[in-house]
Amino acid sequence: MNVTKKRSLLKSFSWRILGSIDTFILSLIIINYSSDLYSYDLAFYIASMEIITKIFLYYFHERIWNLFKVGRLFDRVNRTRSFMKAVTWRITASLDTFILSYIITGRFDWATSIAIFEIVTKAFLYYFHERVWNKYNWGRIIENE
């Protein structure tokens, strides 16, 4: 596996850790706030299932973005590219969260709430995740000036 693919894979795992913690917390709050249940099970199942689906989705999202030069500078990427990646990822990921939440809970209202709140929290988390990764050149595609 080449170093660019390894970078994409490592970014996938680091993002998934942050993302799954966020999903677990949001799911727990929404499910427990709107029901008499105080159970960690449903929130845990949603966060656990998305570990599987989103690692693959994020990896392919990274690989697709590597095909485009927009916003790529000599040794890093600009903020516009980070923002555009955040938007395209958020659309993909929120759809995945909604589908998983609906399948697991059977409740359209909970699935919708989880996905909507996640749009806000994860957009910020993802942007900052991209900016942190921007500080490391390991495995980056370097464009010639």
Side-chain angles (χ1 to χ4, degrees), residues 91-129:
I91 292 166
T92 304
S94 290
L95 222 100
D96 181 62
T97 297
F98 172 79
I99 292 167
L100 288 173
S101 297
Y102 183 70
I103 289 169
I104 291 168
T105 67
R107 298 268 312 253
F108 184 81
D109 57 337
W110 289 353
T112 303
S113 295
I114 293 166
I116 288 172
F117 280 109
E118 180 181 89
I119 288 170
V120 176
T121 59
K122 286 202 175 81
F124 286 108
L125 286 172
Y126 184 89
Y127 178 80
F128 290 113
H129 180 260

Side-chain angles (χ1 to χ4, degrees), residues 11-145:
K11 280 180 74 175
S12 299
F13 282 109
S14 65
W15 170 246
R16 193 64 269 135
I17 291 166
L18 286 172
S20 291
I21 290 169
D22 182 61
T23 297
F24 175 77
I25 292 168
L26 287 173
S27 299
L28 189 64
I29 291 169
I30 290 165
I31 292 167
N32 290 325
Y33 176 76
S34 53
S35 77
D36 294 335
L37 300 170
Y38 194 76
S39 169
Y40 292 91
D41 292 352
L42 293 175
F44 177 77
Y45 293 144
I46 294 167
S48 297
M49 286 305 297
E50 83 166 16
I51 288 171
I52 297 164
T53 59
K54 287 196 175 80
I55 283 176
F56 290 107
L57 289 172
Y58 187 91
Y59 176 79
F60 289 113
H61 182 262
E62 279 294 302
R63 302 305 301 150
I64 290 167
W65 268 97
N66 281 339
L67 300 174
F68 300 100
K69 293 182 180 184
V70 65
R72 192 178 284 146
L73 305 173
F74 175 68
D75 64 345
R76 67 185 125 193
V77 298
N78 66 22
R79 294 176 193 275
T80 302
R81 182 179 176 93
S82 296
F83 178 76
M84 290 171 54
K85 284 179 72 175
V87 170
T88 58
W89 171 247
R90 195 66 263 134
I91 292 166
T92 304
S94 290
L95 222 100
D96 181 62
T97 297
F98 172 79
I99 292 167
L100 288 173
S101 297
Y102 183 70
I103 289 169
I104 291 168
T105 67
R107 298 268 312 253
F108 184 81
D109 57 337
W110 289 353
T112 303
S113 295
I114 293 166
I116 288 172
F117 280 109
E118 180 181 89
I119 288 170
V120 176
T121 59
K122 286 202 175 81
F124 286 108
L125 286 172
Y126 184 89
Y127 178 80
F128 290 113
H129 180 260
E130 280 294 304
R131 298 313 299 161
V132 167
W133 271 96
N134 189 49
K135 296 181 184 299
Y136 302 99
N137 287 329
W138 173 79
R140 181 188 310 279
I141 296 172
I142 306 277
E143 293 296 320
N144 296 328
E145 290 186 306

